[in-house]
Coordinates of all heavy atoms in Angstrom, one line a residue:
M119 N -4.4 22.6 -11.9 CA -3.7 21.3 -11.6 C -4.7 20.2 -11.3 O -5.6 20.4 -10.5 CB -2.7 21.6 -10.5 CG -1.8 20.4 -10.3 SD -0.4 20.8 -9.3 CE -0.9 20.2 -7.7
K120 N -4.5 19.0 -11.8 CA -5.4 17.9 -11.6 C -5.0 17.3 -10.2 O -3.9 17.3 -9.8 CB -5.2 16.9 -12.6 CG -5.8 17.3 -14.0 CD -5.7 16.1 -14.9 CE -6.4 16.5 -16.2 NZ -6.4 15.4 -17.2
T121 N -6.1 16.9 -9.5 CA -6.0 16.3 -8.2 C -5.2 15.0 -8.4 O -5.5 14.1 -9.2 CB -7.3 16.0 -7.6 OG1 -8.0 17.2 -7.5 CG2 -7.2 15.2 -6.3
E122 N -4.2 14.8 -7.5 CA -3.4 13.5 -7.5 C -4.2 12.5 -6.8 O -4.7 12.7 -5.7 CB -2.1 13.7 -6.8 CG -1.2 12.5 -6.8 CD 0.1 12.8 -6.1 OE1 0.9 13.5 -6.6 OE2 0.3 12.2 -5.0
L123 N -4.3 11.3 -7.4 CA -5.0 10.2 -6.8 C -3.9 9.1 -6.4 O -3.1 8.7 -7.1 CB -5.9 9.5 -7.8 CG -7.1 10.3 -8.3 CD1 -7.9 9.5 -9.4 CD2 -8.0 10.7 -7.2
K124 N -4.0 8.8 -5.1 CA -3.2 7.7 -4.6 C -4.1 6.5 -4.3 O -4.7 6.4 -3.3 CB -2.5 8.2 -3.3 CG -1.6 9.4 -3.4 CD -1.0 9.8 -2.1 CE -0.2 11.1 -2.2 NZ 0.3 11.5 -0.9
L125 N -4.1 5.7 -5.4 CA -5.1 4.6 -5.4 C -4.7 3.5 -4.5 O -3.5 3.2 -4.3 CB -5.3 4.1 -6.8 CG -5.8 5.1 -7.8 CD1 -5.9 4.5 -9.2 CD2 -7.2 5.6 -7.4
G126 N -5.7 2.8 -3.9 CA -5.5 1.6 -3.1 C -6.8 0.9 -2.9 O -7.9 1.4 -3.3
T127 N -6.7 -0.2 -2.3 CA -8.0 -0.9 -1.9 C -8.1 -1.0 -0.4 O -7.1 -1.0 0.3 CB -8.0 -2.3 -2.5 OG1 -6.9 -3.1 -2.1 CG2 -8.0 -2.3 -4.0
F128 N -9.3 -1.1 0.1 CA -9.5 -1.2 1.5 C -10.8 -2.0 1.7 O -11.5 -2.3 0.8 CB -9.7 0.2 2.2 CG -11.0 0.9 1.8 CD1 -12.1 0.9 2.6 CD2 -11.1 1.6 0.5 CE1 -13.2 1.5 2.2 CE2 -12.2 2.2 0.2 CZ -13.3 2.2 1.0
R129 N -11.0 -2.4 2.9 CA -12.2 -3.2 3.3 C -12.9 -2.6 4.5 O -12.2 -2.3 5.5 CB -11.8 -4.6 3.5 CG -12.9 -5.6 3.7 CD -12.3 -7.0 4.0 NE -11.3 -7.4 3.1 CZ -11.5 -8.2 2.0 NH1 -12.7 -8.7 1.8 NH2 -10.5 -8.6 1.2
F130 N -14.2 -2.4 4.4 CA -14.9 -2.1 5.6 C -15.0 -3.3 6.5 O -15.2 -4.4 6.0 CB -16.4 -1.6 5.3 CG -16.5 -0.3 4.7 CD1 -17.1 -0.1 3.4 CD2 -16.0 0.8 5.3 CE1 -17.2 1.1 2.8 CE2 -16.2 2.1 4.7 CZ -16.8 2.2 3.5
P131 N -15.0 -3.2 7.8 CA -15.2 -4.3 8.7 C -16.5 -5.0 8.4 O -17.5 -4.4 8.2 CB -15.2 -3.7 10.1 CG -14.5 -2.4 10.0 CD -14.8 -1.9 8.6
G132 N -16.4 -6.3 8.3 CA -17.6 -7.2 8.0 C -18.0 -7.2 6.6 O -19.0 -7.8 6.3
Q133 N -17.3 -6.5 5.7 CA -17.7 -6.4 4.3 C -17.0 -7.6 3.5 O -15.9 -7.9 3.8 CB -17.3 -5.1 3.7 CG -17.9 -4.9 2.3 CD -17.6 -3.5 1.8 OE1 -16.7 -2.8 2.3 NE2 -18.4 -3.0 0.9
A134 N -17.7 -8.0 2.5 CA -17.2 -9.2 1.7 C -15.9 -8.9 0.9 O -15.0 -9.7 1.0 CB -18.3 -9.7 0.8
G135 N -15.9 -7.8 0.2 CA -14.8 -7.6 -0.7 C -14.1 -6.3 -0.6 O -14.7 -5.4 0.0
P136 N -12.9 -6.1 -1.1 CA -12.2 -4.9 -1.1 C -12.9 -3.8 -2.0 O -13.6 -4.2 -2.9 CB -10.8 -5.2 -1.5 CG -11.0 -6.4 -2.4 CD -12.2 -7.2 -1.8
R137 N -12.6 -2.6 -1.7 CA -13.2 -1.5 -2.5 C -12.1 -0.6 -3.0 O -11.0 -0.4 -2.3 CB -14.2 -0.7 -1.6 CG -15.4 -1.5 -1.2 CD -16.3 -0.7 -0.3 NE -17.0 0.4 -0.9 CZ -18.1 0.3 -1.6 NH1 -18.7 -0.8 -1.7 NH2 -18.6 1.4 -2.2
A138 N -12.3 0.1 -4.1 CA -11.4 1.1 -4.6 C -11.4 2.3 -3.8 O -12.5 2.9 -3.5 CB -11.7 1.3 -6.1
G139 N -10.3 2.8 -3.5 CA -10.2 4.1 -2.7 C -9.0 4.9 -3.1 O -8.2 4.5 -3.9
S140 N -8.9 6.1 -2.5 CA -7.8 7.0 -2.7 C -7.4 7.5 -1.3 O -8.2 8.0 -0.6 CB -8.1 8.1 -3.6 OG -7.0 9.0 -3.8
V141 N -6.1 7.5 -1.1 CA -5.5 8.0 0.2 C -5.6 9.6 0.1 O -5.1 10.1 -0.9 CB -4.1 7.5 0.5 CG1 -3.6 8.1 1.8 CG2 -4.1 6.0 0.6
V142 N -6.1 10.2 1.1 CA -6.2 11.7 1.2 C -5.5 12.1 2.5 O -5.9 11.6 3.6 CB -7.6 12.2 1.1 CG1 -7.7 13.6 1.3 CG2 -8.3 11.7 -0.2
G143 N -4.6 13.0 2.4 CA -3.9 13.4 3.7 C -3.0 12.3 4.2 O -2.5 11.4 3.5
E144 N -2.8 12.3 5.5 CA -1.9 11.4 6.2 C -2.5 10.0 6.3 O -1.8 9.0 6.1 CB -1.5 11.9 7.5 CG -0.6 13.2 7.5 CD 0.7 12.9 7.0 OE1 1.3 11.8 7.3 OE2 1.2 13.7 6.2
N145 N -3.8 9.9 6.7 CA -4.3 8.6 7.0 C -5.8 8.4 6.7 O -6.5 7.7 7.4 CB -4.0 8.2 8.5 CG -4.6 9.3 9.5 OD1 -5.2 10.2 9.0 ND2 -4.4 9.0 10.7
Q146 N -6.3 9.1 5.8 CA -7.7 9.0 5.4 C -7.8 8.3 4.0 O -7.0 8.6 3.2 CB -8.4 10.3 5.4 CG -8.5 11.0 6.7 CD -9.2 12.4 6.6 OE1 -9.0 13.1 5.6 NE2 -10.0 12.7 7.6
V147 N -8.8 7.5 3.9 CA -9.0 6.8 2.6 C -10.5 7.2 2.2 O -11.4 7.1 3.0 CB -8.9 5.3 2.7 CG1 -9.3 4.6 1.4 CG2 -7.5 4.9 3.2
V148 N -10.6 7.7 1.0 CA -11.9 8.0 0.4 C -12.4 6.8 -0.4 O -11.7 6.3 -1.3 CB -11.8 9.3 -0.5 CG1 -13.0 9.6 -1.3 CG2 -11.3 10.5 0.3
D149 N -13.6 6.4 -0.1 CA -14.2 5.4 -1.0 C -14.7 6.1 -2.3 O -15.6 6.9 -2.2 CB -15.4 4.8 -0.2 CG -16.2 3.7 -1.0 OD1 -16.5 3.9 -2.1 OD2 -16.4 2.7 -0.4
L150 N -14.0 5.7 -3.4 CA -14.3 6.4 -4.6 C -15.7 6.3 -5.1 O -16.3 7.3 -5.6 CB -13.3 6.0 -5.7 CG -11.8 6.3 -5.4 CD1 -10.9 5.7 -6.4 CD2 -11.6 7.8 -5.3
N151 N -16.3 5.1 -5.0 CA -17.6 4.9 -5.4 C -18.7 5.7 -4.6 O -19.5 6.4 -5.2 CB -18.0 3.4 -5.4 CG -19.4 3.1 -5.7 OD1 -20.2 3.0 -4.8 ND2 -19.7 2.9 -7.0
L152 N -18.6 5.6 -3.3 CA -19.5 6.4 -2.5 C -19.3 7.9 -2.6 O -20.3 8.6 -2.5 CB -19.4 5.9 -1.0 CG -19.8 4.5 -0.7 CD1 -19.6 4.2 0.8 CD2 -21.3 4.3 -1.1
A153 N -18.0 8.3 -2.7 CA -17.8 9.7 -2.8 C -18.3 10.3 -4.2 O -18.9 11.4 -4.2 CB -16.3 10.0 -2.7
Y154 N -18.2 9.5 -5.2 CA -18.8 9.9 -6.5 C -20.3 10.0 -6.5 O -20.9 10.9 -7.0 CB -18.3 9.0 -7.6 CG -18.6 9.5 -9.0 CD1 -18.1 10.8 -9.4 CD2 -19.3 8.8 -9.9 CE1 -18.4 11.4 -10.6 CE2 -19.6 9.4 -11.2 CZ -19.2 10.6 -11.5 OH -19.5 11.1 -12.8
A155 N -20.9 9.0 -5.8 CA -22.4 9.0 -5.6 C -22.8 10.3 -4.9 O -23.8 11.0 -5.2 CB -22.8 7.8 -4.9
A156 N -22.0 10.7 -3.8 CA -22.3 11.9 -3.1 C -22.2 13.1 -3.9 O -23.0 14.0 -3.9 CB -21.4 12.0 -1.8
Y157 N -21.1 13.1 -4.7 CA -20.9 14.2 -5.7 C -22.0 14.3 -6.7 O -22.6 15.4 -6.9 CB -19.5 14.0 -6.4 CG -19.4 14.9 -7.7 CD1 -19.0 16.2 -7.6 CD2 -19.7 14.4 -8.9 CE1 -18.9 17.0 -8.7 CE2 -19.6 15.2 -10.0 CZ -19.2 16.5 -9.9 OH -19.1 17.2 -11.0
L158 N -22.4 13.2 -7.3 CA -23.5 13.2 -8.2 C -24.8 13.8 -7.6 O -25.6 14.5 -8.2 CB -23.7 11.8 -8.8 CG -22.6 11.3 -9.7 CD1 -22.9 9.8 -10.0 CD2 -22.6 12.1 -11.0
S159 N -25.1 13.3 -6.4 CA -26.3 13.7 -5.7 C -26.3 15.2 -5.4 O -27.3 15.9 -5.6 CB -26.5 12.9 -4.5 OG -27.6 13.3 -3.8
S160 N -25.2 15.7 -4.9 CA -25.1 17.1 -4.5 C -24.9 18.1 -5.7 O -25.5 19.1 -5.8 CB -24.0 17.2 -3.5 OG -23.8 18.6 -3.1
K161 N -23.9 17.8 -6.5 CA -23.5 18.7 -7.6 C -24.2 18.6 -8.9 O -24.4 19.5 -9.6 CB -21.9 18.6 -7.8 CG -21.1 18.9 -6.6 CD -21.3 20.4 -6.2 CE -20.4 20.7 -5.0 NZ -20.5 22.1 -4.6
E162 N -24.5 17.4 -9.2 CA -25.1 17.1 -10.5 C -26.6 16.8 -10.4 O -27.3 16.7 -11.4 CB -24.4 15.9 -11.2 CG -23.0 16.0 -11.4 CD -22.6 17.1 -12.5 OE1 -23.4 17.3 -13.4 OE2 -21.5 17.7 -12.4
L163 N -27.1 16.8 -9.2 CA -28.5 16.5 -8.9 C -29.1 15.3 -9.6 O -30.2 15.2 -10.1 CB -29.4 17.7 -9.2 CG -28.9 19.0 -8.6 CD1 -29.8 20.2 -9.1 CD2 -29.0 18.9 -7.1
A164 N -28.2 14.2 -9.6 CA -28.6 13.0 -10.2 C -29.7 12.3 -9.5 O -29.7 12.4 -8.2 CB -27.3 12.0 -10.3
T165 N -30.7 11.7 -10.2 CA -31.8 11.1 -9.5 C -31.5 9.7 -9.0 O -32.1 9.2 -8.1 CB -33.0 11.0 -10.4 OG1 -32.6 10.3 -11.6 CG2 -33.5 12.4 -10.8
Q166 N -30.5 9.0 -9.6 CA -30.0 7.7 -9.2 C -28.5 7.7 -9.1 O -27.8 7.0 -9.8 CB -30.5 6.6 -10.2 CG -32.0 6.5 -10.3 CD -32.4 5.4 -11.2 OE1 -31.8 5.1 -12.2 NE2 -33.6 4.8 -10.9
P167 N -28.0 8.4 -8.1 CA -26.5 8.6 -8.0 C -25.8 7.3 -7.7 O -24.7 7.1 -8.2 CB -26.4 9.6 -6.8 CG -27.6 9.5 -6.0 CD -28.7 9.1 -7.0
Y168 N -26.3 6.4 -6.9 CA -25.6 5.1 -6.6 C -25.5 4.2 -7.8 O -24.4 3.7 -8.1 CB -26.3 4.4 -5.4 CG -26.1 5.2 -4.2 CD1 -27.2 5.9 -3.6 CD2 -24.9 5.3 -3.5 CE1 -27.1 6.7 -2.5 CE2 -24.8 6.0 -2.3 CZ -25.9 6.7 -1.8 OH -25.8 7.4 -0.7
Q169 N -26.5 4.2 -8.6 CA -26.5 3.4 -9.8 C -25.5 3.9 -10.8 O -24.7 3.2 -11.5 CB -27.9 3.2 -10.5 CG -28.9 2.4 -9.7 CD -29.6 3.2 -8.6 OE1 -29.2 4.3 -8.2 NE2 -30.6 2.6 -8.0
L170 N -25.5 5.2 -11.0 CA -24.6 5.9 -11.9 C -23.1 5.7 -11.4 O -22.2 5.5 -12.2 CB -25.0 7.3 -12.1 CG -24.2 8.2 -13.1 CD1 -24.2 7.5 -14.5 CD2 -24.7 9.6 -13.2
A171 N -22.9 5.9 -10.1 CA -21.6 5.8 -9.6 C -21.1 4.3 -9.8 O -19.9 4.1 -10.1 CB -21.6 6.1 -8.1
D172 N -22.0 3.3 -9.6 CA -21.6 1.9 -9.8 C -21.1 1.7 -11.3 O -20.2 0.9 -11.5 CB -22.7 1.0 -9.5 CG -23.0 0.8 -8.1 OD1 -22.1 1.2 -7.2 OD2 -24.1 0.3 -7.7
A173 N -21.7 2.4 -12.2 CA -21.3 2.2 -13.6 C -20.0 3.0 -14.0 O -19.2 2.5 -14.8 CB -22.5 2.7 -14.5
V174 N -19.8 4.1 -13.4 CA -18.7 5.0 -13.8 C -17.5 4.7 -12.9 O -16.3 4.7 -13.4 CB -19.1 6.5 -13.7 CG1 -17.9 7.4 -14.1 CG2 -20.3 6.7 -14.7
V175 N -17.7 4.6 -11.6 CA -16.6 4.3 -10.6 C -16.9 3.0 -9.8 O -17.4 3.1 -8.7 CB -16.5 5.5 -9.7 CG1 -15.3 5.4 -8.7 CG2 -16.3 6.8 -10.4
P176 N -16.6 1.9 -10.4 CA -17.0 0.6 -9.8 C -16.2 0.5 -8.4 O -15.2 1.1 -8.2 CB -16.5 -0.4 -10.8 CG -16.4 0.3 -12.1 CD -16.0 1.7 -11.8
T177 N -16.8 -0.3 -7.6 CA -16.1 -0.5 -6.3 C -14.9 -1.4 -6.3 O -14.0 -1.2 -5.5 CB -17.2 -1.2 -5.3 OG1 -17.5 -2.4 -5.8 CG2 -18.4 -0.3 -5.1
E178 N -14.8 -2.2 -7.3 CA -13.7 -3.2 -7.5 C -12.6 -2.5 -8.3 O -12.8 -1.9 -9.3 CB -14.2 -4.4 -8.1 CG -13.3 -5.6 -7.9 CD -12.2 -5.7 -8.9 OE1 -12.3 -5.4 -10.0 OE2 -11.1 -6.1 -8.4
M179 N -11.3 -2.6 -7.8 CA -10.2 -1.8 -8.4 C -10.0 -2.2 -9.8 O -9.7 -1.3 -10.7 CB -8.9 -2.0 -7.6 CG -7.7 -1.2 -8.1 SD -8.0 0.6 -8.1 CE -7.7 0.9 -6.3
V180 N -9.9 -3.4 -10.2 CA -9.7 -3.8 -11.6 C -10.7 -3.3 -12.5 O -10.4 -2.7 -13.6 CB -9.5 -5.4 -11.7 CG1 -9.4 -5.7 -13.2 CG2 -8.3 -5.9 -11.0
A181 N -12.0 -3.3 -12.1 CA -13.1 -2.8 -12.9 C -12.9 -1.3 -13.0 O -13.2 -0.7 -14.1 CB -14.4 -3.2 -12.3
F182 N -12.5 -0.6 -11.9 CA -12.3 0.8 -11.9 C -11.2 1.2 -12.9 O -11.4 2.1 -13.8 CB -11.9 1.3 -10.5 CG -11.4 2.7 -10.5 CD1 -12.3 3.8 -10.6 CD2 -10.1 3.0 -10.3 CE1 -11.8 5.1 -10.6 CE2 -9.6 4.3 -10.3 CZ -10.5 5.3 -10.5
L183 N -10.1 0.5 -12.9 CA -9.0 0.8 -13.8 C -9.4 0.5 -15.3 O -9.0 1.2 -16.2 CB -7.8 0.0 -13.4 CG -7.2 0.3 -12.1 CD1 -6.0 -0.7 -11.7 CD2 -6.6 1.7 -12.1
K184 N -10.2 -0.5 -15.5 CA -10.7 -0.7 -16.9 C -11.6 0.4 -17.4 O -11.8 0.6 -18.6 CB -11.5 -2.0 -16.9 CG -10.6 -3.3 -16.9 CD -11.4 -4.6 -17.0 CE -10.5 -5.8 -16.9 NZ -11.2 -7.0 -17.0
G185 N -12.1 1.2 -16.5 CA -12.9 2.4 -16.8 C -12.1 3.5 -17.5 O -12.7 4.4 -18.0
G186 N -10.8 3.4 -17.4 CA -9.9 4.4 -18.1 C -10.1 5.8 -17.6 O -10.4 6.1 -16.5
S187 N -9.9 6.7 -18.6 CA -9.9 8.1 -18.2 C -11.2 8.6 -17.7 O -11.3 9.5 -16.9 CB -9.5 9.0 -19.5 OG -10.4 8.7 -20.5
Q188 N -12.3 8.0 -18.1 CA -13.6 8.4 -17.6 C -13.7 8.1 -16.1 O -14.2 9.0 -15.3 CB -14.8 7.8 -18.3 CG -16.2 8.2 -17.8 CD -17.3 7.5 -18.5 OE1 -17.1 6.4 -19.1 NE2 -18.5 8.0 -18.3
A189 N -13.3 7.0 -15.7 CA -13.3 6.6 -14.2 C -12.4 7.5 -13.4 O -12.7 7.9 -12.3 CB -13.0 5.1 -14.1
I190 N -11.2 7.7 -14.0 CA -10.2 8.5 -13.3 C -10.7 10.0 -13.1 O -10.5 10.5 -12.0 CB -8.8 8.5 -14.1 CG1 -8.2 7.1 -14.1 CG2 -7.8 9.5 -13.5 CD1 -7.7 6.6 -12.8
E191 N -11.2 10.5 -14.1 CA -11.7 11.9 -14.0 C -12.9 12.0 -13.0 O -13.0 12.9 -12.2 CB -12.2 12.4 -15.4 CG -12.5 13.9 -15.4 CD -11.3 14.8 -14.9 OE1 -10.1 14.5 -15.2 OE2 -11.6 15.8 -14.2
A192 N -13.8 11.0 -13.0 CA -14.9 10.9 -12.0 C -14.3 10.8 -10.6 O -14.8 11.4 -9.7 CB -15.8 9.8 -12.4
A193 N -13.3 10.0 -10.5 CA -12.7 9.8 -9.2 C -12.0 11.1 -8.7 O -12.1 11.5 -7.5 CB -11.6 8.7 -9.2
R194 N -11.4 11.9 -9.5 CA -10.9 13.2 -9.2 C -12.0 14.1 -8.7 O -11.8 14.8 -7.7 CB -10.1 13.8 -10.4 CG -8.8 13.2 -10.6 CD -8.0 14.0 -11.6 NE -6.7 13.4 -11.7 CZ -6.2 12.8 -12.8 NH1 -6.9 12.7 -13.9 NH2 -5.0 12.3 -12.8
K195 N -13.1 14.1 -9.4 CA -14.2 15.0 -9.0 C -14.7 14.5 -7.6 O -15.0 15.4 -6.7 CB -15.4 14.9 -10.0 CG -15.1 15.6 -11.3 CD -16.3 15.4 -12.2 CE -16.0 16.0 -13.6 NZ -17.1 15.9 -14.5
A196 N -14.8 13.2 -7.4 CA -15.2 12.7 -6.1 C -14.3 13.1 -5.0 O -14.7 13.6 -3.9 CB -15.3 11.2 -6.1
V197 N -13.0 13.0 -5.2 CA -12.0 13.4 -4.2 C -12.0 14.9 -3.9 O -12.0 15.3 -2.7 CB -10.6 12.9 -4.5 CG1 -9.5 13.4 -3.6 CG2 -10.5 11.4 -4.5
D198 N -12.1 15.7 -4.9 CA -12.2 17.1 -4.8 C -13.5 17.5 -4.0 O -13.4 18.4 -3.1 CB -12.2 17.8 -6.1 CG -10.9 17.8 -6.8 OD1 -9.9 17.6 -6.2 OD2 -10.9 18.1 -8.0
Y199 N -14.6 16.8 -4.3 CA -15.8 17.0 -3.6 C -15.7 16.7 -2.1 O -16.1 17.5 -1.2 CB -16.9 16.2 -4.2 CG -18.2 16.3 -3.4 CD1 -19.0 17.5 -3.4 CD2 -18.7 15.3 -2.6 CE1 -20.2 17.6 -2.7 CE2 -19.9 15.4 -1.9 CZ -20.6 16.5 -1.9 OH -21.7 16.6 -1.2
V200 N -15.1 15.6 -1.7 CA -14.9 15.2 -0.3 C -13.9 16.2 0.4 O -14.2 16.5 1.5 CB -14.3 13.8 -0.2 CG1 -13.9 13.4 1.2 CG2 -15.4 12.8 -0.7
K201 N -12.9 16.7 -0.3 CA -12.0 17.6 0.3 C -12.5 19.0 0.5 O -12.0 19.7 1.3 CB -10.7 17.6 -0.5 CG -9.9 16.3 -0.4 CD -8.7 16.2 -1.4 CE -7.8 17.4 -1.4 NZ -6.6 17.1 -2.4
S202 N -13.6 19.3 -0.2 CA -14.1 20.7 -0.2 C -15.0 20.9 1.0 O -15.4 20.1 1.7 CB -14.8 21.1 -1.4 OG -16.0 20.3 -1.6

């Protein structure tokens, strides 16, 4: 079964713009971009995980949605990684 994504945007205190995230559990939000970078670094042993995450799972929601199925699948991997 595929991981359900409850998409939303959030903002870190003092940060300029909103970021794409997914609600996990009752009140936790996963930063999809940072979680995917962590996944890439740990599971895929990527040498430039942040740059790759920026390309595949952008921080801005509209850009993320424009990424289509590739971005959604990467976001699922990121959320599964964080939950594990």
Side-chain angles (χ1 to χ4, degrees):
M119 187 166 100
K120 289 187 176 184
T121 298
E122 181 179 291
L123 296 176
K124 297 177 185 178
L125 299 176
T127 57
F128 70 98
R129 187 183 309 258
F130 286 124
Q133 188 174 25
R137 296 179 67 88
S140 180
V141 178
V142 177
E144 291 292 318
N145 58 359
Q146 294 179 325
V147 177
V148 173
D149 182 310
L150 295 175
N151 175 268
L152 292 177
Y154 191 58
Y157 164 82
L158 290 170
S159 180
S160 176
K161 298 294 185 182
E162 302 291 330
L163 303 178
T165 58
Q166 296 184 328
Y168 294 103
Q169 291 84 346
L170 186 54
D172 286 344
V174 178
V175 183
T177 60
E178 201 276 321
M179 183 61 78
V180 173
F182 168 75
L183 294 173
K184 286 181 180 179
S187 60
Q188 181 184 16
I190 295 292
E191 191 55 38
R194 284 190 175 113
K195 288 178 182 179
V197 170
D198 287 342
Y199 174 74
V200 169
K201 288 169 56 176
S202 66

